[in-house]
Amino acid sequence: MRVLGIETSCDETGIAIYDTEQGLLAHQLYSQVKLHADYGGVVPELASRDHVRKTLPLIQAALKQAQLTAQDIDGVAYTAGPGLVGALLVGSCIGRSLAFGWNVPAIAVHHMEGHLLAPMLEENPPEFPFVALLVSGGHTQLVRVDGIGRYQLLGESVDDAAGEAFDKTAKLMGLDYPGGPRLAAMAEKGNESTHQFPRPMTDRPGLDFSFSGLKTFAANTIASSDGSAQALADIARAFQDAVVDTLVIKCRRALEQTGLKRLVVAGGVSANKHLRTQLTEFTQRIGGQAYFPRPEFCTDNGAMIAFAGAQRLVAGETTDIQIKTYPRWPLSELLAPQG
């Protein structure tokens, strides 16, 4: 089955074609970073309008890349949530309309399920069951995964997500949008012994996260510094170390609690080099393994939506003609395919 995947949940337009026998056939991505940079963050209305302009041309580019025509597509998968409602509507309307016009089934995909399954696109995919750390600008969650649609939420952020805290702290440091990757690059030049930031919620049991207080601690440290490049690099290093250590501690607890040794890490922050190194070393020490998507599939992309949608379409699951979007859509509400 060849599935066209459409991702328009926020500020990236992602289109891909996935074949259940041959794998990924095409992958197209357009980022709106330059569009939103002047505003210091995503402007929902501008994001929606840009998706309108870019989605169909990218679909045409993906078909050309795969050397296919519309008649070769067997199903359409589109992100229905969570995300920005206007942006979701663009992809959902286009995806559902194309499926209707091409007379093929459509499937509404959960954005975080796409991220969770993104490592399945790699040559060495993880086997079920595993623990997944979903870590991005909007979500920080630990999930036990026993199969597609068989998810148990173990813990989540009670305030700012890790990626959100990265971006907000970067903005306090005067870094341009998107700040998270810029802060991580600056941290490489920082001295690890200059500052010691707290590891929030690690002094108590449980698997929930909280990063807003860490952001405030960073803000106070920035305000009391001399503002030099080295001072900011030292703060960036301390902040990143605190976030990564916190995530590692919680992942260790989750694996101990579930008795599992396979850890999947996905979402935008999973591209962070320091996080990858620490989690890889930790899982190796316990005789386990950490799995990550390739960097281009850490951020929002159409490949993960095409793959996730294909798994459900193959099982016989489809979405009816009525177009619905879910700006807030708990992962726990997903059900396993019945096929």
Side-chain angles (χ1 to χ4, degrees):
M1 172 178 273
R2 295 193 186 105
V3 178
L4 173 71
I6 302 173
E7 157 59 29
T8 63
S9 66
C10 189
D11 60 343
E12 283 156 324
T13 311
I15 305 296
I17 299 173
Y18 179 81
D19 188 304
T20 53
E21 294 183 359
Q22 300 179 56
L24 189 64
L25 302 180
H27 173 235
Q28 297 286 323
L29 183 68
Y30 175 79
S31 174
Q32 299 178 0
V33 165
K34 292 182 179 179
L35 176 66
H36 301 289
D38 290 342
Y39 303 95
V42 178
V43 180
E45 179 63 22
L46 294 181
S48 301
R49 292 181 181 183
D50 213 44
H51 287 310
V52 170
R53 288 190 288 265
K54 297 296 191 300
T55 302
L56 286 176
L58 286 176
I59 291 174
Q60 293 171 343
L63 288 169
K64 183 177 181 180
Q65 180 185 356
Q67 299 182 332
L68 300 174
T69 67
Q71 287 69 40
D72 298 312
I73 300 300
D74 302 308
V76 179
Y78 57 88
T79 303
L84 303 176
V85 63
L88 291 169
L89 278 168
V90 175
S92 297
C93 289
I94 292 175
R96 194 63 193 82
S97 298
L98 287 177
F100 180 78
W102 294 344
N103 194 30
V104 297
I107 187 72
V109 175
H110 192 292
H111 179 75
M112 297 311 295
E113 181 173 53
H115 275 303
L116 188 152
L117 298 177
M120 299 289 188
L121 291 162
E122 304 304 320
E123 292 184 0
N124 180 32
E127 295 181 359
F128 300 117
F130 55 77
V131 169
L133 171 66
L134 300 177
V135 57
S136 67
H139 299 82
T140 303
Q141 298 177 325
L142 280 165
V143 183
R144 178 184 171 120
V145 181
D146 289 295
I148 294 175
R150 297 168 61 194
Y151 310 131
Q152 177 189 355
L153 182 64
L154 303 174
E156 62 184 337
S157 180
V158 298
D159 42 54
D160 289 353
E164 184 180 4
F166 260 101
D167 288 338
K168 288 181 177 179
T169 301
K171 191 170 185 179
L172 291 170
M173 299 173 72
L175 301 178
D176 292 335
Y177 172 85
R182 299 178 191 276
L183 187 152
M186 180 180 286
E188 294 181 4
K189 302 175 183 178
N191 188 327
E192 65 177 331
S193 61
T194 302
H195 301 287
Q196 181 66 27
F197 280 25
R199 276 55 174 165
M201 293 185 72
T202 59
D203 58 348
R204 68 192 76 175
L207 296 174
D208 286 336
F209 303 89
S210 171
F211 293 107
S212 64
L214 182 61
K215 177 195 63 183
T216 302
F217 191 96
N220 292 336
T221 307
I222 293 168
S224 61
S225 73
D226 61 14
S228 66
Q230 187 58 52
L232 292 178
D234 291 344
I235 293 170
R237 175 62 183 271
F239 175 82
Q240 177 176 261
D241 285 351
V243 173
V244 169
D245 284 355
T246 300
L247 294 173
V248 172
I249 290 169
K250 297 288 186 170
C251 286
R252 185 192 71 226
R253 289 182 183 176
L255 292 174
E256 290 174 348
Q257 178 177 310
T258 59
L260 301 175
K261 291 189 176 182
R262 284 186 290 270
L263 177 68
V264 163
V265 188
V269 182
S270 69
N272 183 281
K273 295 178 181 178
H274 187 49
L275 178 63
R276 286 183 172 232
T277 298
Q278 294 300 309
L279 286 175
T280 298
E281 292 177 353
F282 154 66
T283 51
Q284 288 176 346
R285 286 197 301 271
I286 65 170
Q289 187 172 353
Y291 299 83
F292 305 87
R294 70 194 77 168
E296 64 190 290
F297 294 157
C298 290
T299 54
D300 296 348
N301 63 87
M304 66 183 192
I305 302 304
F307 178 84
Q311 308 314 303
R312 290 183 173 272
L313 286 171
V314 166
E317 184 176 343
T318 60
T319 300
D320 62 28
I321 194 68
Q322 185 177 10
I323 297 172
K324 296 180 181 179
T325 58
Y326 308 89
R328 295 182 182 275
W329 190 4
L331 189 62
S332 58
E333 292 183 0
L334 281 183
L335 299 176
Q338 299 303 305

